[in-house]
Amino acid sequence: MRTRHVNLLIALVAFVLFSFSCFCISRMTQTSNQLINCRNHILEFKENILRLKNKTERNHQELIKALNKMKFEVADRENVSVNSVKKNMNALGKNEIVPNAFEVLKFLFPHLRKVDRIYPDVIIGKEKTGVSFALGISTVSRGNHSYLKQTLTSLISRMTLSEEKDSVVIVCIADSNEDYLKSVVGMITKKFKRQLMSGSLEVISIPAYFYPHMLHARQSTEASQKLESWRIKQVLDFCFLMLYAQPKARYYLQLEDDIIANKMYFTKIADFVHNITSNNWFYIEFSILGFIGKLFKSEDLIDFVRFFLMFYKDKPIDLLLGDIFQVKMCNPGETLEKCIERNKHIRIRYKPSLFQHVGIQSSFPGREQYFKDIYY
């Protein structure tokens, strides 16, 4: 009996151990399967991460290529736009019309009668017309000194966008030095690209054939002859620029390449001109210095140029300006002071001056100048 109980106990213990073993094996198998599944998920996740990384890198590279392509296309369009406004007037078609303003030169200079087209070399510009004001700046090399960038920055930065739209600044390179021409063009295309693209800034150069042969023959080593040639050429440069600007705007403002402008100068000029009750004024002085800041009606420019070119060998252009006023407006035997007083509504002086001369190194080699407008 006792033996039977022991056998039952042993059988029970064996059953329990077997059951526990089965349970443990089952749990271990389940855990192993879970670990395998977990490992598979991890591997799958890792593969997804790698695929995503590769895809991201490909997208990044494609994005960089797309951006570079866009940059190239934008730059290319800008270059095309700038190049499209570069024009050599010698390559004009036969059907293109030469502005009548330059035809006056053929009556005064016999050597130009053989030239088919008298026109500047347009380097950069959209040949903007129909604006209220054209601002003319003639520039030549001053050796190691240059004030042109300062001048243009002052003029353009003190205009509003609407004033830029209603005006054109013309830089006339009156120098045969190829290096100077390239330096001016390079500076302007880099610093004032927006103005060039909008048409509110133009750069032209005077062709060498424009100057009379006697001016070339006057090139001498003597200081007096050099000074005379420089003065004569300066008158011719101003006249050429005035003829180019004449059909562009209602008014023409003469400036130089070594000046700065007063704040709101353009607004003050426009308001002053529009508030003049009579339209029979001869010219307006916005500076007392030389030929700086002189405003003309464009319709009168050809008459001024004709007079200047008749006497260009005799006097500087600012003195010729006084002479034409005296010839047209003063009575015989009348003093200039009395004539000016009598015609102060015709030859108008604006105060305070809106432009100041800042250049020290003259455009005449080796000369320094310290002229200042006391009314600025």
Side-chain angles (χ1 to χ4, degrees), residues 101-109 112 118 210 240 243 309:
F102 283 99
E103 291 300 297
V104 68
L105 297 174
K106 293 186 177 181
F107 294 98
L108 297 163
F109 296 120
L112 292 177
I118 304 172
F210 164 66
F240 196 93
L243 289 177
L309 292 180

Side-chain angles (χ1 to χ4, degrees), residues 115-153:
V115 178
D116 291 334
R117 300 180 180 92
I118 304 172
Y119 207 69
D121 297 326
V122 179
I123 302 171
I124 303 175
K126 292 196 172 181
E127 300 185 78
K128 188 177 180 181
T129 59
V131 296
S132 294
F133 293 90
L135 288 67
I137 302 171
S138 180
T139 184
V140 296
S141 174
R142 299 171 187 255
N144 295 327
H145 299 80
S146 178
Y147 308 96
L148 181 60
K149 182 178 179 180
Q150 179 184 9
T151 295
L152 289 175
T153 300

Side-chain angles (χ1 to χ4, degrees), residues 214-341:
M214 53 79 57
L215 185 61
H216 298 292
R218 282 175 180 261
Q219 302 302 321
S220 170
T221 57
E222 295 184 13
S224 60
Q225 287 289 339
K226 283 187 175 182
L227 181 60
E228 184 181 3
S229 296
W230 170 79
R231 177 181 54 75
I232 289 173
K233 179 180 177 298
Q234 191 177 58
V235 177
L236 296 174
D237 294 342
F238 282 127
C239 289
F240 196 93
L241 175 55
M242 294 169 81
L243 289 177
Y244 177 77
Q246 192 270 337
K248 290 180 167 293
R250 185 176 180 183
Y251 304 104
Y252 174 74
L253 179 65
Q254 182 64 62
L255 299 170
E256 294 189 9
D257 64 345
D258 58 349
I259 59 99
I260 57 172
N262 206 334
K263 292 180 180 179
M264 297 182 65
Y265 78 96
F266 195 97
T267 303
K268 293 174 182 177
I269 290 175
D271 290 346
F272 185 77
V273 171
H274 295 153
N275 289 329
I276 295 176
T277 55
S278 174
N279 195 42
N280 66 343
W281 52 272
F282 199 47
Y283 63 89
I284 303 175
E285 298 178 280
F286 291 97
S287 172
I288 65 170
L289 292 180
F291 208 43
I292 298 171
K294 305 303 185 283
L295 184 76
F296 305 90
K297 288 177 284 189
S298 293
E299 63 189 31
D300 297 334
L301 282 179
I302 293 180
D303 289 337
F304 279 101
V305 169
R306 284 197 186 103
F307 185 87
F308 295 153
L309 292 180
M310 283 192 290
F311 302 101
Y312 74 96
K313 302 176 188 177
D314 303 316
K315 291 183 179 181
I317 198 165
D318 54 324
L319 298 184
L320 291 176
L321 184 60
D323 288 346
I324 188 175
F325 171 78
Q326 193 167 4
V327 168
K328 293 179 72 72
M329 301 299 173
C330 298
N331 297 325
E334 185 179 23
T335 63
L336 181 59
E337 291 76 13
K338 185 176 180 180
C339 178
I340 292 174
E341 178 62 27

Side-chain angles (χ1 to χ4, degrees), residues 36-263:
I36 292 172
N37 290 336
C38 182
R39 187 185 65 177
N40 291 337
H41 284 306
I42 291 173
L43 291 173
E44 184 181 356
F45 179 74
K46 185 177 180 180
E47 290 176 357
N48 290 335
I49 290 295
L50 289 174
R51 284 196 298 270
L52 183 61
K53 181 181 179 181
N54 293 333
K55 186 176 180 181
T56 301
E57 289 179 353
R58 287 196 301 271
N59 291 340
H60 179 68
Q61 295 297 326
E62 291 175 358
L63 180 60
I64 291 176
K65 290 180 181 178
L67 288 174
N68 289 335
K69 184 178 179 181
M70 290 172 64
K71 289 179 181 178
F72 174 79
E73 290 176 350
V74 169
D76 189 53
R77 282 197 296 271
E78 288 180 350
N79 290 333
V80 168
S81 298
V82 172
N83 292 332
S84 67
V85 301
K86 294 182 179 180
K87 182 181 290 186
N88 186 331
M89 298 310 298
N90 293 327
L92 281 173
K94 293 182 179 180
N95 295 326
E96 293 194 50
I97 299 174
V98 177
N100 292 330
F102 283 99
E103 291 300 297
V104 68
L105 297 174
K106 293 186 177 181
F107 294 98
L108 297 163
F109 296 120
H111 74 284
L112 292 177
R113 294 170 190 168
K114 299 178 182 180
V115 178
D116 291 334
R117 300 180 180 92
I118 304 172
Y119 207 69
D121 297 326
V122 179
I123 302 171
I124 303 175
K126 292 196 172 181
E127 300 185 78
K128 188 177 180 181
T129 59
V131 296
S132 294
F133 293 90
L135 288 67
I137 302 171
S138 180
T139 184
V140 296
S141 174
R142 299 171 187 255
N144 295 327
H145 299 80
S146 178
Y147 308 96
L148 181 60
K149 182 178 179 180
Q150 179 184 9
T151 295
L152 289 175
T153 300
S154 175
L155 291 172
I156 294 174
S157 66
R158 291 174 176 177
M159 287 184 186
T160 65
L161 290 178
S162 61
E163 289 170 346
E164 275 191 35
K165 187 176 181 180
D166 195 31
S167 64
V168 56
V169 178
I170 306 164
V171 176
C172 178
I173 303 174
D175 199 309
S176 59
N177 187 315
E178 192 73 18
D179 291 335
Y180 181 68
L181 187 147
K182 290 179 179 179
S183 69
V184 171
V185 172
M187 179 275 290
I188 290 178
T189 53
K190 180 179 179 180
K191 178 71 175 177
F192 303 100
K193 180 181 286 188
R194 180 179 63 80
Q195 288 77 17
L196 288 173
M197 300 304 297
S198 69
S200 60
L201 178 61
E202 293 184 16
V203 182
I204 66 173
S205 63
I206 301 179
Y209 65 75
F210 164 66
Y211 300 103
H213 298 302
M214 53 79 57
L215 185 61
H216 298 292
R218 282 175 180 261
Q219 302 302 321
S220 170
T221 57
E222 295 184 13
S224 60
Q225 287 289 339
K226 283 187 175 182
L227 181 60
E228 184 181 3
S229 296
W230 170 79
R231 177 181 54 75
I232 289 173
K233 179 180 177 298
Q234 191 177 58
V235 177
L236 296 174
D237 294 342
F238 282 127
C239 289
F240 196 93
L241 175 55
M242 294 169 81
L243 289 177
Y244 177 77
Q246 192 270 337
K248 290 180 167 293
R250 185 176 180 183
Y251 304 104
Y252 174 74
L253 179 65
Q254 182 64 62
L255 299 170
E256 294 189 9
D257 64 345
D258 58 349
I259 59 99
I260 57 172
N262 206 334
K263 292 180 180 179

